[in-house]
Amino acid sequence: MARSGDNHKGANSGGGSGTVCNGTELARFMGVARTTITSFTKAGMPILDNKGPRKSPRYDSAACVRWWRDRDLNKARSSGDDDQLDIDEIRRRTELARMKKEEISLAVEEERYGDVEAILEELGHALATIRANLMALPKYAAQLEHQEASVIERRLEEEVYRMLEELSDFTVEDDDSSD
């Protein structure tokens, strides 16, 4: 029986006393598809050498079975840890959350965020003014009934601009102006 040598990635395959075989024979031996052997080889499964037909890889079956077993064991060990965070990660996330909370508190204290109630109150006043002006527009237009079209157009345009100007004058007043 042949002993295995270096794998294709340059690491020692750990020796072996299995049968030297090609990829198809190894696939049959391991009970997998030939494409699986190719994938395993790319993932680091040890090869004996590249002395097969057309320089194809040859494998030591024992070394490949050990590699497969170790790979599955490592997967099983690490899969249970996916849902668990190490203590350093928990501390890092806790500190990050604490910092974000402090930043928000500081921003509120520095009044970088407006008083939502005051903003909503002013917005309500602005909308009420818009509504009143729009409802009065037909009555204003009725007063221009016997005017020329150009005069009606100019006066309605002036009235709309007046409404828009009045709307642009709305600001949120600070209740605490004594500071």
Side-chain angles (χ1 to χ4, degrees):
M1 302 233 163
R3 288 191 55 92
S4 59
D6 295 332
N7 79 11
H8 72 290
K9 296 206 181 228
N12 190 328
S13 65
S17 57
T19 305
V20 175
C21 54
N22 65 27
T24 303
E25 293 166 339
L26 183 62
R28 195 174 307 122
F29 175 76
M30 294 175 74
V32 297
R34 175 65 179 100
T35 54
T36 303
I37 298 300
T38 303
S39 297
F40 283 178
T41 302
K42 289 178 181 177
M45 184 172 69
I47 62 171
L48 179 63
D49 58 33
N50 285 319
K51 295 183 179 177
R54 291 170 287 185
K55 296 186 179 184
S56 62
R58 295 188 316 163
Y59 302 90
D60 176 344
S61 60
C64 293
V65 169
R66 271 193 299 279
W67 176 87
W68 194 17
R69 178 201 62 205
D70 292 345
R71 178 178 165 264
D72 287 346
L73 284 173
N74 288 335
K75 270 188 181 178
R77 285 183 190 135
S78 66
S79 68
D81 296 337
D82 288 346
D83 296 335
Q84 298 177 357
L85 298 175
D86 66 345
I87 192 71
D88 292 332
E89 179 65 13
I90 292 170
R91 286 182 181 138
R92 187 189 71 77
R93 289 183 182 189
T94 302
E95 186 60 27
L96 183 63
R98 187 176 298 124
M99 288 171 38
K100 285 183 179 181
K101 181 179 177 184
E102 288 174 9
E103 286 177 7
I104 291 170
S105 296
L106 180 62
V108 169
E109 287 174 12
E110 292 178 348
E111 297 179 355
R112 281 190 275 177
Y113 297 112
D115 181 8
V116 175
E117 291 174 9
I119 293 170
L120 290 176
E121 184 178 340
E122 288 298 321
L123 181 60
H125 290 305
L127 292 174
T129 301
I130 292 170
R131 182 178 183 273
N133 284 329
L134 289 175
M135 290 182 73
L137 196 57
K139 291 179 184 172
Y140 181 78
Q143 295 172 1
L144 304 172
E145 179 179 11
H146 298 292
Q147 301 288 329
E148 292 181 20
S150 61
V151 172
I152 294 173
E153 184 179 333
R154 189 182 82 248
R155 293 245 179 110
L156 286 176
E157 188 176 295
E158 288 172 357
E159 184 63 14
V160 168
Y161 282 126
R162 185 196 62 76
M163 290 181 207
L164 291 173
E165 185 68 31
E166 187 177 347
L167 179 62
S168 70
D169 290 340
F170 274 97
T171 60
V172 177
E173 298 296 324
D174 190 7
D175 291 338
D176 242 359
S177 57
S178 61
D179 288 343

PDB file of all heavy atoms in Angstrom, residues 158-171:
ATOM      1  N   GLU A 158     -51.783  87.237  -7.863  1.00  0.00           N
ATOM      2  CA  GLU A 158     -51.355  88.028  -6.705  1.00  0.00           C
ATOM      3  C   GLU A 158     -51.889  87.428  -5.405  1.00  0.00           C
ATOM      4  O   GLU A 158     -51.177  87.362  -4.398  1.00  0.00           O
ATOM      5  CB  GLU A 158     -51.830  89.484  -6.839  1.00  0.00           C
ATOM      6  CG  GLU A 158     -51.092  90.272  -7.888  1.00  0.00           C
ATOM      7  CD  GLU A 158     -51.730  91.647  -8.134  1.00  0.00           C
ATOM      8  OE1 GLU A 158     -52.783  91.960  -7.523  1.00  0.00           O
ATOM      9  OE2 GLU A 158     -51.175  92.400  -8.955  1.00  0.00           O
ATOM     10  N   GLU A 159     -53.150  87.003  -5.431  1.00  0.00           N
ATOM     11  CA  GLU A 159     -53.767  86.422  -4.234  1.00  0.00           C
ATOM     12  C   GLU A 159     -53.077  85.112  -3.852  1.00  0.00           C
ATOM     13  O   GLU A 159     -52.807  84.860  -2.683  1.00  0.00           O
ATOM     14  CB  GLU A 159     -55.266  86.205  -4.467  1.00  0.00           C
ATOM     15  CG  GLU A 159     -56.005  85.689  -3.257  1.00  0.00           C
ATOM     16  CD  GLU A 159     -56.003  86.656  -2.066  1.00  0.00           C
ATOM     17  OE1 GLU A 159     -55.669  87.848  -2.199  1.00  0.00           O
ATOM     18  OE2 GLU A 159     -56.332  86.188  -0.960  1.00  0.00           O
ATOM     19  N   VAL A 160     -52.768  84.288  -4.840  1.00  0.00           N
ATOM     20  CA  VAL A 160     -52.069  83.018  -4.565  1.00  0.00           C
ATOM     21  C   VAL A 160     -50.689  83.305  -3.986  1.00  0.00           C
ATOM     22  O   VAL A 160     -50.268  82.683  -3.005  1.00  0.00           O
ATOM     23  CB  VAL A 160     -51.977  82.149  -5.845  1.00  0.00           C
ATOM     24  CG1 VAL A 160     -51.011  80.995  -5.649  1.00  0.00           C
ATOM     25  CG2 VAL A 160     -53.359  81.636  -6.230  1.00  0.00           C
ATOM     26  N   TYR A 161     -49.960  84.268  -4.557  1.00  0.00           N
ATOM     27  CA  TYR A 161     -48.641  84.628  -4.021  1.00  0.00           C
ATOM     28  C   TYR A 161     -48.746  85.171  -2.600  1.00  0.00           C
ATOM     29  O   TYR A 161     -47.889  84.901  -1.757  1.00  0.00           O
ATOM     30  CB  TYR A 161     -47.927  85.621  -4.935  1.00  0.00           C
ATOM     31  CG  TYR A 161     -47.310  84.962  -6.151  1.00  0.00           C
ATOM     32  CD1 TYR A 161     -47.597  85.414  -7.425  1.00  0.00           C
ATOM     33  CD2 TYR A 161     -46.436  83.892  -6.018  1.00  0.00           C
ATOM     34  CE1 TYR A 161     -47.040  84.821  -8.544  1.00  0.00           C
ATOM     35  CE2 TYR A 161     -45.869  83.289  -7.126  1.00  0.00           C
ATOM     36  CZ  TYR A 161     -46.177  83.754  -8.394  1.00  0.00           C
ATOM     37  OH  TYR A 161     -45.620  83.159  -9.488  1.00  0.00           O
ATOM     38  N   ARG A 162     -49.802  85.932  -2.322  1.00  0.00           N
ATOM     39  CA  ARG A 162     -50.017  86.441  -0.959  1.00  0.00           C
ATOM     40  C   ARG A 162     -50.215  85.287   0.005  1.00  0.00           C
ATOM     41  O   ARG A 162     -49.629  85.262   1.099  1.00  0.00           O
ATOM     42  CB  ARG A 162     -51.231  87.378  -0.921  1.00  0.00           C
ATOM     43  CG  ARG A 162     -51.430  88.046   0.448  1.00  0.00           C
ATOM     44  CD  ARG A 162     -52.820  88.646   0.610  1.00  0.00           C
ATOM     45  NE  ARG A 162     -53.900  87.675   0.547  1.00  0.00           N
ATOM     46  CZ  ARG A 162     -54.220  86.827   1.543  1.00  0.00           C
ATOM     47  NH1 ARG A 162     -53.538  86.815   2.660  1.00  0.00           N
ATOM     48  NH2 ARG A 162     -55.226  85.984   1.413  1.00  0.00           N
ATOM     49  N   MET A 163     -51.006  84.291  -0.393  1.00  0.00           N
ATOM     50  CA  MET A 163     -51.232  83.108   0.445  1.00  0.00           C
ATOM     51  C   MET A 163     -49.925  82.350   0.695  1.00  0.00           C
ATOM     52  O   MET A 163     -49.641  81.943   1.828  1.00  0.00           O
ATOM     53  CB  MET A 163     -52.235  82.158  -0.225  1.00  0.00           C
ATOM     54  CG  MET A 163     -53.643  82.625  -0.276  1.00  0.00           C
ATOM     55  SD  MET A 163     -54.620  81.337  -1.081  1.00  0.00           S
ATOM     56  CE  MET A 163     -55.926  82.297  -1.749  1.00  0.00           C
ATOM     57  N   LEU A 164     -49.148  82.207  -0.357  1.00  0.00           N
ATOM     58  CA  LEU A 164     -47.871  81.492  -0.220  1.00  0.00           C
ATOM     59  C   LEU A 164     -46.902  82.265   0.673  1.00  0.00           C
ATOM     60  O   LEU A 164     -46.171  81.671   1.469  1.00  0.00           O
ATOM     61  CB  LEU A 164     -47.249  81.225  -1.592  1.00  0.00           C
ATOM     62  CG  LEU A 164     -47.986  80.206  -2.469  1.00  0.00           C
ATOM     63  CD1 LEU A 164     -47.376  80.159  -3.866  1.00  0.00           C
ATOM     64  CD2 LEU A 164     -47.963  78.833  -1.826  1.00  0.00           C
ATOM     65  N   GLU A 165     -46.900  83.572   0.553  1.00  0.00           N
ATOM     66  CA  GLU A 165     -46.043  84.397   1.398  1.00  0.00           C
ATOM     67  C   GLU A 165     -46.459  84.265   2.861  1.00  0.00           C
ATOM     68  O   GLU A 165     -45.614  84.142   3.753  1.00  0.00           O
ATOM     69  CB  GLU A 165     -46.122  85.867   0.943  1.00  0.00           C
ATOM     70  CG  GLU A 165     -45.187  86.791   1.670  1.00  0.00           C
ATOM     71  CD  GLU A 165     -43.727  86.517   1.355  1.00  0.00           C
ATOM     72  OE1 GLU A 165     -43.417  86.075   0.233  1.00  0.00           O
ATOM     73  OE2 GLU A 165     -42.891  86.750   2.249  1.00  0.00           O
ATOM     74  N   GLU A 166     -47.753  84.282   3.094  1.00  0.00           N
ATOM     75  CA  GLU A 166     -48.262  84.126   4.456  1.00  0.00           C
ATOM     76  C   GLU A 166     -47.865  82.757   5.019  1.00  0.00           C
ATOM     77  O   GLU A 166     -47.471  82.637   6.178  1.00  0.00           O
ATOM     78  CB  GLU A 166     -49.794  84.282   4.457  1.00  0.00           C
ATOM     79  CG  GLU A 166     -50.412  84.295   5.831  1.00  0.00           C
ATOM     80  CD  GLU A 166     -51.926  84.528   5.770  1.00  0.00           C
ATOM     81  OE1 GLU A 166     -52.450  84.919   4.712  1.00  0.00           O
ATOM     82  OE2 GLU A 166     -52.564  84.300   6.820  1.00  0.00           O
ATOM     83  N   LEU A 167     -47.924  81.750   4.188  1.00  0.00           N
ATOM     84  CA  LEU A 167     -47.543  80.408   4.606  1.00  0.00           C
ATOM     85  C   LEU A 167     -46.050  80.328   4.929  1.00  0.00           C
ATOM     86  O   LEU A 167     -45.648  79.702   5.905  1.00  0.00           O
ATOM     87  CB  LEU A 167     -47.893  79.390   3.502  1.00  0.00           C
ATOM     88  CG  LEU A 167     -47.528  77.933   3.782  1.00  0.00           C
ATOM     89  CD1 LEU A 167     -48.274  77.417   5.003  1.00  0.00           C
ATOM     90  CD2 LEU A 167     -47.834  77.082   2.567  1.00  0.00           C
ATOM     91  N   SER A 168     -45.236  80.997   4.144  1.00  0.00           N
ATOM     92  CA  SER A 168     -43.790  80.934   4.379  1.00  0.00           C
ATOM     93  C   SER A 168     -43.375  81.660   5.646  1.00  0.00           C
ATOM     94  O   SER A 168     -42.271  81.451   6.151  1.00  0.00           O
ATOM     95  CB  SER A 168     -43.032  81.501   3.179  1.00  0.00           C
ATOM     96  OG  SER A 168     -43.220  82.890   3.091  1.00  0.00           O
ATOM     97  N   ASP A 169     -44.232  82.508   6.198  1.00  0.00           N
ATOM     98  CA  ASP A 169     -43.919  83.230   7.433  1.00  0.00           C
ATOM     99  C   ASP A 169     -44.091  82.372   8.677  1.00  0.00           C
ATOM    100  O   ASP A 169     -43.684  82.771   9.761  1.00  0.00           O
ATOM    101  CB  ASP A 169     -44.801  84.482   7.563  1.00  0.00           C
ATOM    102  CG  ASP A 169     -44.419  85.552   6.553  1.00  0.00           C
ATOM    103  OD1 ASP A 169     -43.279  85.491   6.043  1.00  0.00           O
ATOM    104  OD2 ASP A 169     -45.250  86.428   6.279  1.00  0.00           O
ATOM    105  N   PHE A 170     -44.686  81.168   8.536  1.00  0.00           N
ATOM    106  CA  PHE A 170     -44.883  80.307   9.699  1.00  0.00           C
ATOM    107  C   PHE A 170     -43.551  79.748  10.169  1.00  0.00           C
ATOM    108  O   PHE A 170     -42.750  79.257   9.375  1.00  0.00           O
ATOM    109  CB  PHE A 170     -45.831  79.143   9.383  1.00  0.00           C
ATOM    110  CG  PHE A 170     -47.270  79.503   9.548  1.00  0.00           C
ATOM    111  CD1 PHE A 170     -48.042  79.875   8.461  1.00  0.00           C
ATOM    112  CD2 PHE A 170     -47.855  79.479  10.812  1.00  0.00           C
ATOM    113  CE1 PHE A 170     -49.365  80.218   8.612  1.00  0.00           C
ATOM    114  CE2 PHE A 170     -49.181  79.809  10.969  1.00  0.00           C
ATOM    115  CZ  PHE A 170     -49.936  80.178   9.878  1.00  0.00           C
ATOM    116  N   THR A 171     -43.305  79.846  11.463  1.00  0.00           N
ATOM    117  CA  THR A 171     -42.104  79.265  12.077  1.00  0.00           C
ATOM    118  C   THR A 171     -42.517  78.614  13.384  1.00  0.00           C
ATOM    119  O   THR A 171     -43.555  78.954  13.968  1.00  0.00           O
ATOM    120  CB  THR A 171     -41.028  80.321  12.374  1.00  0.00           C
ATOM    121  OG1 THR A 171     -41.574  81.284  13.258  1.00  0.00           O
ATOM    122  CG2 THR A 171     -40.527  80.981  11.113  1.00  0.00           C
TER     123      THR A 171
END
